[in-house]
Amino acid sequence: MSTSEYVIAGILDNIAQWAHVSVAAAGQLITVFAVANAIGSPLFVMATAKMDRRKLMIVSLWIVVLGSVLTITLPGFGFLIVSRIVLAIGAGVFVIVAKTIAAKLASPGKQAEAIGTVIIGFSAALIVGVPIGRVIASSFDWKYIFVGIGLLSLFAIVAVYRMIPSTEGEAPAPLGKQIALVKNPMIWTGFGITFFWQLGYAVLYAYIVPFLLEVTSIGKHQISLALFIFGIATLVGSKFGGFLTDRIGIPRSLLGGMAVHVVALVLLSTMAESTVVTITLLMLWGLSAWSSGPGLQFNLVALAPEASGMMLSLYGSILQISIAAAGGIGGLAASRYSVHAVSWTAAVSVGIAVALGVISFRQKHYKEAYS
């Protein structure tokens, strides 16, 4: 599911050549996917709140199959945009439901770790899915990537049917209650933390190759190795973040992880003077950045357990909006100042997330103490 989103970034040149458009125009496919995911996925999840979660997961996989077929068969760039919208909704709904089911099926005290296990799929897409997609696009036609995604989705339908137990949906919350949830300042603060945390990560990752080449001592031939090691660190970070959240609680794990995230970004900007040091700092960055995801999501679920699907879907929307904003903000920093400025912009953004986290958890502590 995650490869269906991320692989486009690795094959933009192939798609641009096929569609007879510029690479910049082809890049709008990323924005289209992000916007469709941010808006369509939560609406779909809310509209199907009563549906058995396993059935909804299977429906989302069929939507991905449909999107893959459209990508393969329909001609022209306009139809490719339509297929990206379909894929965005299918993949977005699948991820939301997968995390919801993981949290519900996990034993008490291991919910965050279960969510972290699901998030490993995102890391796997970056480590394995995107590079394999690039190889396929270089050796064959880029559409074969979506043949593979469609076939694997059919396999996943069988796997979900046979291995995932039936799980009841949530009774849709009354409109008044939904409005009350949206008005809750604690939830808005949680979304704010999510936005600035993801922005800080995405704004540098979008420019990671020019940053490594211009700011650090990494050479062109070492980029692939550095990014592969970084990807491994993100995978470990997802699992470790969930484990840590369950063991020491949301406030300490989340604030600690984001604080290390800020430190890693600052050190990358100031101390990446050798290849070994640079790769070490990249590992620290990947580990700390991705360790926050499980805690952020479990925090939102804990704030509104009766509407966990709604919270996770809105969380996904905030991520997509943040990713869309990161490209523009990073481009502005790089063009106005330099690529070096992108890392400092990222550090400031995550620093804002830390400050919001401190405020949020203090308010929660005082509220519980007063109650």
Side-chain angles (χ1 to χ4, degrees):
M1 296 302 102
S2 297
T3 298
S4 71
E5 175 177 5
Y6 297 139
V7 74
I8 288 293
I11 59 172
L12 281 180
D13 52 339
N14 303 83
I15 292 176
Q17 185 178 5
W18 169 82
H20 305 293
V21 299
S22 66
V23 173
Q28 297 308 305
L29 293 171
I30 298 173
T31 303
V32 166
F33 191 103
V35 173
N37 193 315
I39 297 174
S41 298
L43 291 177
F44 197 101
V45 170
M46 290 178 195
T48 56
K50 286 185 177 181
M51 184 182 291
D52 177 277
R53 299 294 91 179
R54 181 177 67 176
K55 288 182 180 178
L56 182 55
M57 187 179 281
I58 291 173
V59 168
S60 69
L61 286 167
W62 276 117
I63 294 174
V64 172
V65 172
L66 173 62
S68 300
V69 171
L70 294 177
T71 303
I72 297 163
T73 58
L74 294 181
F77 190 67
F79 284 114
L80 187 57
I81 290 175
V82 173
S83 70
R84 291 303 290 167
I85 293 172
V86 174
L87 281 169
I89 293 173
V93 171
F94 178 87
V95 172
I96 292 166
V97 179
K99 289 186 287 193
T100 304
I101 288 179
K104 287 185 176 181
L105 296 182
S107 56
K110 292 198 173 184
Q111 290 95 333
E113 188 174 350
I115 292 174
T117 301
V118 175
I119 297 174
I120 286 176
F122 290 93
S123 300
L126 295 173
I127 299 167
V128 181
V130 175
I132 288 178
R134 182 66 194 179
V135 170
I136 292 172
S138 299
S139 304
F140 307 100
D141 190 308
W142 64 268
K143 290 190 176 183
Y144 280 105
I145 297 168
F146 293 92
V147 173
I149 288 173
L151 291 174
L152 288 172
S153 297
L154 289 173
F155 174 78
I157 289 170
V158 177
V160 167
Y161 180 77
R162 292 178 62 89
M163 300 178 68
I164 301 296
S166 179
T167 307
E168 290 185 4
E170 300 169 343
L175 181 60
K177 195 166 188 178
Q178 292 184 39
I179 294 174
L181 284 174
V182 173
K183 285 183 175 180
N184 187 336
M186 296 288 289
I187 290 176
W188 271 106
T189 305
F191 288 149
I193 296 168
T194 300
F195 178 84
F196 285 106
W197 159 73
Q198 177 64 24
L199 181 67
Y201 169 79
V203 77
L204 179 57
Y205 187 77
Y207 293 87
I208 188 61
V209 173
F211 175 84
L212 291 175
L213 292 175
E214 294 183 27
V215 178
T216 76
S217 59
I218 292 280
K220 286 185 178 180
H221 61 287
Q222 298 169 319
I223 290 289
S224 296
L225 175 62
L227 293 180
F228 176 76
I229 294 173
F230 173 79
I232 295 294
T234 66
L235 190 150
V236 175
S238 297
K239 187 67 176 175
F240 179 71
F243 171 83
L244 201 63
T245 299
D246 287 329
R247 295 304 181 276
I248 66 174
I250 296 172
R252 284 188 287 178
S253 66
L254 190 55
L255 293 177
M258 290 194 298
V260 175
H261 190 170
V262 174
V263 171
L265 289 169
V266 171
L267 293 178
L268 270 171
S269 304
T270 57
M271 295 184 63
E273 297 178 354
S274 70
T275 299
V276 173
V277 172
T278 300
I279 290 178
T280 301
L281 292 176
L282 281 174
M283 291 173 63
L284 182 65
W285 176 37
L287 182 69
S288 59
W290 283 67
S291 70
S292 301
L296 284 167
Q297 293 173 80
F298 189 49
N299 180 50
L300 290 171
V301 171
L303 288 172
E306 73 283 5
S308 58
M310 177 182 174
M311 289 297 101
L312 290 174
S313 63
L314 291 174
Y315 169 88
S317 297
I318 296 296
L319 286 191
Q320 295 296 333
I321 293 169
S322 183
I323 290 169
I329 293 173
L332 186 64
S335 60
R336 285 255 182 125
Y337 303 99
S338 67
V339 175
H340 201 166
V342 175
S343 61
W344 287 105
T345 303
V348 169
S349 182
V350 181
I352 293 172
V354 173
L356 288 173
V358 171
I359 294 170
S360 175
F361 292 127
R362 279 185 177 176
Q363 287 178 340
K364 187 176 180 181
H365 174 75
Y366 291 147
K367 184 177 180 180
E368 289 175 350
Y370 179 77
S371 298

